[in-house]
Amino acid sequence: QVQLMESGGGLVQPGGSLRLSCAASGRVFILAPMGWYRQAPGKQRELVARITSCGGTDYGDSVKGRFTISRDNGKNTVYLQMNSLKPEYTALYYCHLLLAAMNYWGPGTQVTVSS
């Protein structure tokens, strides 16, 4: 069984930065693609960023140039560095892992961008 746990969310002012972390436990991790998604109230869940086991990355259009995804396979952890945050980035951020055609999600961490 795979477990994911996000951390690092919080309240930040516009233009500020946050770093999210997602720790994976269970029988995984090294070969599994991972990513971050977000869901704002009344909206669908959308891709923020994803990273392959080899470090290849892909970003949602709205965060390109602002966010950076990375992973530490030795720590079973994926990170999301978020810079130049905007109020419209306020959402619940979820960690995602794909393994053997199964999707795994963390419980989410709230990011609120507000002055």
Side-chain angles (χ1 to χ4, degrees):
Q1 186 66 23
V2 175
Q3 294 87 38
L4 303 174
M5 183 55 64
E6 305 94 340
S7 61
L11 173 64
V12 63
Q13 293 187 342
S17 298
L18 280 176
R19 188 193 194 204
L20 305 184
S21 299
C22 173
S25 60
R27 57 169 195 93
V28 231
F29 161 88
I30 292 175
L31 299 180
M34 295 188 70
W36 291 93
Y37 289 73
R38 67 187 179 192
Q39 188 167 17
K43 295 187 177 181
Q44 290 187 334
R45 192 172 297 190
E46 64 175 356
L47 171 70
V48 177
R50 52 193 171 196
I51 186 167
T52 68
S53 59
C54 299
T57 58
D58 184 28
Y59 294 91
D61 288 341
S62 66
V63 305
K64 286 180 180 177
R66 296 175 182 267
F67 291 9
T68 303
I69 189 170
S70 61
R71 64 190 293 163
D72 185 334
N73 288 343
K75 295 182 178 180
N76 285 0
T77 301
V78 63
Y79 305 96
L80 185 68
Q81 178 65 43
M82 306 187 294
N83 298 327
S84 303
L85 286 163
K86 300 180 179 180
E88 52 262 44
Y89 293 164
T90 294
L92 194 58
Y93 282 69
Y94 296 94
C95 181
H96 172 261
L97 183 150
L98 178 65
L99 180 68
M102 293 287 292
N103 291 292
Y104 296 90
W105 298 92
T109 185
Q110 179 67 37
V111 172
T112 302
V113 185
S114 175
S115 55

